[in-house]
Amino acid sequence: MIIAIDGPAASGKGTLARQLAAQYGYHYLDTGSIYRAVAFGILQAGKDPEDLATALDIAKNLDMSTIRDPDLRTDAVGNAASIVAKQPEVREAVLDYQRRFAKRSPGAVLDGRDIGTIVCPDADIKLFVTAEDEERARRRFEELKGRGHATTLEKVVADLIARDERDKTREISPLKPAEDAHLLDTTELSIEAAFGAACAIVERVLEADA
Ligand code: DC
């Protein structure tokens, strides 16, 4: 069983993916963390995120046990990750790991930008999670503030919009819903309500398959 969850930054897809994995006893992979880990390595080395040779070297030798490092969660790393993720060679270098992860038994939930379209086009269930820009920025701002990061709501809005634009308009694996994805707008939904809506979609698909 593969559940693919895509959507823009701070749409609530990560929280949903984690909750669904816990609910159904599946493995969970936050694929954005992979690109963040590559970007973090580049920034640590004092290099430019556009530097393909360095990005590729780090991507090919990435230790996947580092992708949960809390230092990856800043907006600076998120922006650099979005730049790194434009490079076809970098995407290719981390694709196989994601596809192998998706096959883990008894099931896996992966979230990202291209899971339903490229990584797992045959996923059993695809969700595309969205929320309005202002609401996404508010959530991300609260999250960063909670972790003690000094920033402003205006900067968070600008960063999110620029990052989404780059992710949507890149040539390879752009952020977009798969044709067979279920759309879930979380703008007006609490975390609990969004989880309930996602579970209802999953249950419908599981029942239809039974
Ligand atoms: O989900 P996130 O915000 O942690 O992702 C950081 C960046 O990584 C995002 O702006 C684009 C890139 N990304 C991607 O290109 N493909 C994915 N499947 C996941 C993330």
Side-chain angles (χ1 to χ4, degrees):
M1 168 63 60
I2 301 175
I3 303 181
I5 307 189
D6 291 301
S11 55
K13 64 184 187 314
T15 304
L16 265 183
R18 207 170 291 113
Q19 288 177 322
L20 285 174
Q23 172 80 8
Y24 293 98
Y26 297 157
H27 302 276
Y28 168 56
L29 181 62
D30 165 7
T31 65
S33 291
I34 299 174
Y35 295 97
R36 283 175 183 263
V38 176
F40 187 69
I42 296 179
L43 297 176
Q44 288 287 90
K47 297 284 177 76
D48 187 332
E50 301 274 359
D51 175 347
L52 176 59
T54 306
L56 198 50
D57 184 41
I58 294 174
K60 283 184 173 163
N61 296 297
L62 196 62
D63 173 358
M64 291 294 174
S65 69
T66 64
I67 68 173
R68 281 186 206 87
D69 183 341
D71 287 347
L72 305 185
R73 308 313 313 167
T74 66
D75 268 5
V77 174
N79 289 333
S82 166
I83 294 171
V84 162
K86 289 187 306 183
Q87 310 273 16
E89 296 88 343
V90 172
R91 303 197 74 85
E92 182 64 33
V94 296
L95 184 58
D96 191 47
Y97 175 80
Q98 297 173 70
R99 288 193 172 148
R100 275 188 287 114
F101 189 99
K103 293 205 184 99
R104 286 192 187 176
S105 177
V109 184
L110 287 81
D111 80 69
R113 303 292 186 289
D114 62 338
I115 309 303
T117 51
I118 305 290
V119 178
C120 304
D122 297 328
D124 301 274
I125 300 173
K126 298 180 187 178
L127 296 179
F128 193 83
V129 184
T130 57
E132 281 169 14
D133 294 352
E134 293 70 23
E135 176 58 18
R136 292 189 296 116
R138 193 193 59 75
R139 291 176 191 168
R140 178 53 53 88
F141 178 65
E142 293 300 331
E143 182 195 333
L144 290 172
K145 211 169 63 176
R147 276 199 262 111
H149 292 282
T151 187
T152 62
L153 185 57
E154 292 70 29
K155 179 160 173 12
V156 174
V157 176
D159 276 359
L160 271 188
I161 292 176
R163 183 141 72 93
D164 287 345
E165 196 52 29
R166 191 186 300 113
D167 294 343
K168 279 192 244 174
T169 56
R170 68 179 174 222
E171 279 174 25
I172 180 160
S173 307
L175 165 65
K176 67 169 184 197
E179 275 176 18
D180 50 349
H182 299 265
L183 303 184
L184 181 58
D185 185 336
T186 67
T187 308
E188 307 275 337
L189 301 181
S190 64
I191 291 178
E192 294 73 27
F195 178 55
C199 284
I201 294 169
V202 173
E203 294 296 335
R204 267 206 315 274
V205 176
L206 292 178
E207 273 167 31
D209 282 358

